[in-house]
Amino acid sequence: MLRALSPKRVYMVACFFSFLFVAPPAALFEIRSVSMASDGSLIAATSHSGRIFTWRPMAAGNGGTGYVRFAAIDSGHHGYLTKCVLSPDVSRLITCSSDKTVRVWSLPGGATWPSFQLEKTLAQHTRWVWDACFSADSAYLVTASSDWTARLWDVHTGEVIRHYAAPMAVTCVALNDASG
């Protein structure tokens, strides 16, 4: 993933397999985070202003490869969006924010997919939430915050399973939950 900078705007430029996708000039917006579904069925991006944008693959019969913008919704966060992450099973999207919360969005299937529905808000951090990652089975989520903690959440219940204290702000996380 690349972001090309200009004096006035941040242009989204992404390289996926054998083609290049660039946000068209008529639809410029500042992007903070981008996530692509593991099966290539969806791209999600978040802006500083609190919007969630999605793209889906072009239909083969419509003349090509690439992605077309599908939806733009307001996240409802009361601050900057710092990260978005699609779950490995593409059933959920999470958004992290400077408002100290993580929102879990369900992505039900069907003809109107992706139609976002707010499933729950995870609100136990006391400062900005910077990053998050899902477990391989999409059942758990780890979040990183300026409150000097990382938390492991059960995505289905919204409960904190583990609380990790750090000697300073935690701004990024990774999870290796592979067995063996």
Side-chain angles (χ1 to χ4, degrees), residues 74-149:
D74 182 11
S75 70
H77 281 285
H78 302 289
Y80 295 114
L81 293 182
T82 57
K83 185 77 171 194
C84 69
V85 181
L86 287 162
S87 63
D89 66 2
V90 197
S91 66
R92 290 183 173 86
L93 170 75
I94 62 100
T95 53
C96 302
S97 175
S98 64
D99 70 3
K100 310 171 193 171
T101 67
V102 175
R103 290 191 173 210
V104 180
W105 303 85
S106 61
L107 302 171
T112 59
W113 188 84
S115 59
F116 295 90
Q117 295 174 352
L118 181 61
E119 189 176 318
K120 60 182 62 82
T121 300
L122 309 177
Q124 291 191 21
H125 283 292
T126 58
R127 294 198 178 166
W128 289 34
V129 182
W130 288 101
D131 195 12
C133 65
F134 279 97
S135 61
D137 63 1
S138 303
Y140 302 97
L141 182 71
V142 178
T143 56
S145 172
S146 295
D147 65 6
W148 297 23
T149 68

Side-chain angles (χ1 to χ4, degrees), residues 14-78:
C15 182
F16 303 108
F17 305 107
S18 61
F19 66 92
L20 188 67
F21 167 80
V22 180
L28 293 178
F29 40 85
E30 294 187 11
I31 294 296
R32 173 67 186 160
S33 180
V34 176
S35 182
M36 184 173 190
S38 56
D39 63 2
S41 64
L42 180 68
I43 297 172
T46 54
S47 69
H48 287 292
S49 64
R51 305 270 301 160
I52 303 169
F53 300 93
T54 58
W55 292 264
R56 65 178 178 186
M58 289 180 169
N62 289 345
T65 60
Y67 285 78
V68 292
R69 189 159 153 195
F70 184 67
I73 64 166
D74 182 11
S75 70
H77 281 285
H78 302 289

